[in-house]
Amino acid sequence: MIVARTWAVALTGLAGSLIEVEADITQHKPDFRLIGMPDKSLGEAVRRVMNASENSGLRLPDRRLTVNLSPASLPKQGSAFDLAIAVAALATDGRLDPESLARTVHIGELGLDGRVRAVPGVLPSVVAAVRAGRPRIVVPEENRAEAELVTGAEITGVRTLAQVALLHGADVDEPMVEPIDAPAAPPPAGAPAEVLDLADVVGQPQAVDTLLVAAAGGHHMLMSGPPGAGKTMLARRLPGILPPLGDDAALEVASIRSLTGERVASLSRTPPFEAPHHSATLAALVGGGSRRASPGAIARASRGVLFIDEVAEAPRSVLDALRQPLELGAIEIHRSGFTASFPARFQLVLAMNPCPCGEFGVAGGACTCSPAEVRRYAGKISGPLLDRVDIDMRMQRVSRIDGDRALVTTAAARDRVREARERAARRLAETPWRTNGEVAGTWLRSGPHPLDAGARSVLDGALDRGHITLRAYDRIVRVAWSVADLAGRARPTAADVGRALFLKKGISA
Ligand SMILES: [Zn+2]
């Protein structure tokens, strides 16, 4: 009789930790105990492991079996521990090779019939196992493709518990695997997202230019304009002009997809775009789940764009939920006994109508709202959220298309944005920031790259006359740098500052 050992992975948010799974038997009446702070679904794991073993022709020993998951202090949720528990239990009577078992990480849920079922979060689990120096990993066949995305991982995909036992030297018949009885898998994610072309946006040259400025500096923006002005159309084209995701970012985005249970087939290099409806539940936005913390739209937008249309209609709770991620670049989900943290570094794009009826300030429009209603509407997003918004863009419906103006394609825009970002990154090389949108105000004002006197005088005048606050001053300087970076200038001119001031004038702060 031996103490059998193998490995599993516990996920808390996106972070995975190796869990040692140990099994031992003693001379008592048959029993199966699971220890190591298991949650409710781990208790159910005992039932699944017993039935799956029986139905795979692999009876568990008729003794008292104890399986310990350590460290006990780590929260363990979900059904992905089934496979590790089963093989450790089966190995207690020497039928499986202990050396092979001890070198392998097992991830997967068991069906009562012995099938190995797909689980959410295989990608971040494999990342964690490889980083912890345990690259030999057994996963459900359905999750094999996403597991194989991790460099250095040695993945075996399995469909049944018996296949896993065979892998570790058990004398068992290769099981017949019938066609999948599992529910249809969700559509695969990670396939190259359809990139919408910026050239589709006609008659809005200023709006397109402003989108480039926002992309160049990673600036959060607010677009206001009547229905039909093309706010959504423009926002959807922002991910396509942002720099493609690097390896780590692409893996992080795919890992978040994996945690929501999507099948991830490949690493997408296009930054994600999430557009939760303003009436979305808080759980859909923030994330939730009782047993397993599952990321919501805010985390899914990380490394990409979070677009909230008709933001003035959104309940306070939705706007408040944005504050923590905007400040920390992460979002936390609190559950009894643990807190899961997900990355949430997104570029925020808000859109709203100018008033409840949508026609206020529209040329030829007939707004039916009272001045008080218009004021109240505009005031709905205020304070802390607006403090984070660098660009306030007013849009009008297209009334005339200027045929002489060449359309900007996504490919051309992306090249310009990339060059502008490289310029900013060189300037910011010695700082913790990479984009103009992140830079602290004090560094802008008293760092090594001050504005020229001429460029500054425009703003200093506005500040002295009380037309802008110091906070607004900083935001204007940030945007002015992005305008200059896009134009290939070493520093902002007075005209660049004027442009940034124009892009800011709607925000009273
Ligand atoms: Zn109105």
Side-chain angles (χ1 to χ4, degrees):
M1 260 161 268
I2 50 164
V3 176
R5 282 192 182 83
T6 189
W7 301 92
V9 179
L11 287 172
T12 309
L14 211 52
S17 311
L18 275 184
I19 296 291
E20 187 172 35
V21 180
E22 269 182 313
D24 195 11
I25 43 177
T26 51
Q27 302 287 2
H28 290 93
K29 67 176 179 0
D31 189 11
F32 193 149
R33 296 175 180 201
L34 199 50
I35 55 178
M37 217 183 85
D39 79 349
K40 186 164 175 284
S41 61
L42 276 178
E44 293 167 359
V46 169
R47 194 40 46 208
R48 289 194 296 269
V49 167
M50 290 176 77
N51 285 56
S53 302
E54 184 86 40
N55 290 327
S56 303
L58 292 157
R59 275 192 60 111
L60 290 167
D62 273 341
R63 311 273 174 76
R64 178 183 291 174
L65 189 57
T66 304
V67 178
N68 180 33
L69 280 68
S70 62
S73 58
L74 273 175
K76 305 173 191 75
Q77 312 121 42
S79 50
F81 300 94
D82 286 3
L83 202 52
I85 294 167
V87 291
L90 289 170
T92 48
D93 63 3
R95 275 176 296 177
L96 306 187
D97 172 13
E99 294 291 309
S100 169
L101 220 55
R103 283 194 297 124
T104 310
V105 179
H106 293 88
I107 301 166
E109 177 185 319
L110 287 174
L112 295 179
D113 59 357
R115 237 178 260 274
V116 177
R117 296 186 186 282
V119 288
V122 166
L123 183 51
S125 298
V126 170
V127 169
V130 170
R131 282 185 189 156
R134 304 252 165 219
R136 192 167 177 244
I137 306 160
V138 173
V139 302
E141 175 61 27
E142 281 180 72
N143 295 121
R144 184 168 55 84
E146 68 178 85
E148 286 176 341
L149 294 174
V150 182
T151 310
E154 301 159 30
I155 300 298
T156 307
V158 294
R159 295 183 189 282
T160 65
L161 178 58
Q163 276 183 338
V164 187
L166 265 174
L167 195 69
H168 297 300
D171 181 18
V172 64
D173 291 334
E174 172 86 55
M176 296 285 291
V177 182
E178 290 153 30
I180 296 293
D181 66 348
E194 187 192 2
V195 174
L196 303 166
D197 205 286
L198 200 55
D200 301 338
V201 181
V202 292
Q204 295 279 22
Q206 280 170 351
V208 169
D209 285 350
T210 304
L211 194 73
L212 260 69
V213 174
H219 301 287
H220 301 311
M221 71 188 291
L222 168 67
M223 299 188 282
S224 62
K231 303 187 290 286
T232 303
M233 188 183 194
L234 206 61
R236 288 194 175 278
R237 282 156 180 77
L238 179 54
I241 67 174
L242 293 174
L245 300 176
D247 290 349
D248 288 351
L251 199 59
E252 182 186 291
V253 168
S255 291
I256 291 171
R257 296 276 181 280
S258 167
L259 272 172
T260 63
E262 280 183 44
R263 297 286 180 276
V264 181
S266 62
L267 293 185
S268 172
R269 301 289 170 173
T270 305
F273 180 83
E274 287 289 321
H277 193 257
H278 61 78
S279 68
T281 63
L282 211 52
L285 205 61
V286 171
S290 52
R291 292 193 187 171
R292 214 173 41 79
S294 183
I298 288 175
R300 292 167 57 93
S302 194
R303 308 280 188 167
V305 176
L306 182 66
F307 175 59
I308 302 180
D309 198 5
E310 303 205 37
V311 65
E313 309 282 350
R316 183 94 251 158
S317 57
V318 164
L319 302 184
D320 285 346
L322 295 172
R323 289 175 61 179
Q324 185 198 47
L326 285 172
E327 277 164 31
L328 303 180
I331 186 161
E332 291 178 341
I333 303 179
H334 301 278
R335 287 289 173 272
S336 64
F338 71 98
T339 297
S341 177
F342 297 105
R345 282 179 292 273
F346 50 81
Q347 188 170 353
L348 182 65
V349 180
L350 306 171
M352 64 185 286
N353 292 340
C355 68
C357 85
E359 298 298 316
F360 180 75
V362 176
C367 174
T368 55
C369 313
S370 72
E373 281 175 316
V374 174
R375 260 198 317 277
R376 199 161 48 237
Y377 200 74
K380 277 195 180 164
I381 51 161
S382 57
L385 191 55
L386 277 190
D387 275 350
R388 301 277 166 181
V389 173
D390 287 345
I391 294 177
D392 180 10
M393 175 164 73
R394 301 298 171 92
M395 288 177 73
Q396 292 292 340
R397 288 197 191 103
V398 177
S399 54
R400 184 178 61 89
I401 294 170
D402 183 354
D404 294 340
R405 166 111 185 183
L407 294 169
V408 182
T409 64
T410 285
R414 189 166 50 222
D415 282 347
R416 287 189 58 200
V417 167
R418 180 175 46 78
E419 286 167 19
R421 284 209 175 199
E422 284 168 1
R423 208 163 279 127
R426 279 195 296 275
R427 184 171 60 248
L428 299 171
E430 304 297 317
T431 74
W433 312 294
R434 289 294 163 267
T435 59
N436 295 324
E438 301 167 327
V439 177
T442 47
W443 194 85
L444 289 173
R445 278 177 265 119
S446 44
H449 299 276
L451 291 186
D452 291 343
R456 217 179 51 220
S457 66
V458 181
L459 277 180
D460 288 347
L463 186 66
D464 289 345
R465 286 190 300 276
H467 292 172
I468 55 170
T469 62
L470 189 60
R471 251 205 277 262
Y473 183 106
D474 290 342
R475 290 192 297 243
I476 292 161
V477 177
R478 279 190 201 104
V479 174
W481 274 108
S482 295
V483 173
D485 287 336
L486 265 176
R489 283 191 275 278
R491 56 188 59 244
T493 61
D496 295 337
V497 172
R499 170 103 187 278
L501 190 58
F502 175 76
L503 292 176
K504 187 72 210 166
K505 67 176 184 190
I507 298 178
S508 52

